[in-house]
Structure formats: C-alpha cells, structure tokens
Amino acid sequence: MAVVLSEIGTAPLDVGAVLAAVSSPHAGGIALFVGTVRDHDHASAVAELEYTAHPGAAAELRRVCEEVAARAWPDLDGHELRLAAIHRIGPLQIGDLAVVVAAAAPHREAAFLACRALIDELKEKVPIWKHQRFADGSQEWVGCP
C-alpha cells in the first residue's frame, strides 16, 4: 500500500496535485474529498477562521494515512491502494480549501471506502484545531482536546 502524499502547510491547496499524486495506470477509480471553509456553522455566520496544528500533527497525519493504507480493501487485484492527504493551516477565507484527501484503487469500491476512512480518521485523530470567529462577535475552538 502506498501513501504518496501527506502534508500540512500554509500554502493554498491544489486538488490537481493531489489527483496527480494518486494517479496510476492501475487505478480504475479515484475518490476525492475536498473540504472547504463554509460561511456558517451551527446556524451562525462565520466571519473568520484559522486552523492551528500541534507540532506533531504532520507525523500523526502520516501515521493515520499509513494505517488506513495497511487495511484490507476489496478488489485490489494485487495492486496497491494509493492515498494522499493534505491539510491547510493558518487563516483561511470563506471558500478556501481546508483539506484534500484522495484514494486510488483498481476499482471504485475500495477507493470510496478508503477515502471515507481517511478523512474520518484524519478529523478524529490528527491534532489540527479550528478557531472560528462569528459575525456576532462570539468564537469557538473546534477539535481541541
């Protein structure tokens, strides 16, 4: 199994780069998840948003990717599952890309399942926190322990 891209950084995210990273002649299916900054949360208007990461977050992201890649996925036909995950930190604007996750496999089922598992586990286990400031002046931290 191959983790071909695993990064956390401040630069704008490039969906095309993630797609290119997981592409392979053996991939008959590529599942892609793109998380964007929305203009609301809990029925409140979001004015500003910033992501912060623990210093060990990049290593944890890699570990999560490797863990997902090592699972038994259906219909790989002897080929590898290819995974990529990138997450942006720092201040982001409404509409900016916050996270991009992709999984490529010989068939769509494994690609869909692995992509879903990767984004779910990234959100659960990687220490990246979101600080939201709302239009009404209130604020909240999301994902903090």
Side-chain angles (χ1 to χ4, degrees):
M1 306 306 160
V3 176
V4 295
L5 180 62
S6 170
E7 295 178 357
I8 297 173
T10 58
L13 304 184
D14 181 351
V15 174
V18 174
L19 185 60
V22 297
S23 293
S24 160
H26 303 296
I30 298 174
L32 184 68
F33 173 80
V34 179
T36 60
V37 177
R38 63 182 176 265
D39 66 356
H40 69 283
D41 198 13
H42 310 296
S44 296
V46 173
E48 297 177 2
L49 181 143
E50 184 170 358
Y51 283 98
T52 304
H54 183 277
E60 182 65 9
L61 176 59
R62 181 72 183 196
R63 188 195 68 72
V64 166
C65 289
E66 289 171 352
E67 181 182 285
V68 171
R71 293 184 190 158
W73 298 103
D75 298 324
L76 292 182
D77 296 337
H79 298 287
E80 66 184 7
L81 176 74
R82 296 171 60 85
L83 294 177
I86 57 175
H87 203 298
R88 190 168 174 196
I89 57 172
L92 280 73
Q93 302 298 314
I94 304 302
D96 282 350
L97 306 185
V99 61
V100 180
V101 171
H107 304 282
R108 69 181 175 270
E109 182 179 9
F112 282 132
L113 292 171
C115 185
R116 175 72 184 253
L118 184 52
I119 189 59
D120 287 350
E121 296 208 15
L122 181 161
K123 299 295 276 179
E124 180 184 333
K125 297 178 180 176
V126 179
I128 296 173
W129 308 293
K130 178 171 58 174
H131 186 200
Q132 297 185 114
R133 293 174 192 89
F134 298 101
D136 67 4
S138 64
Q139 59 184 322
E140 74 173 341
W141 282 90
V142 179
C144 290

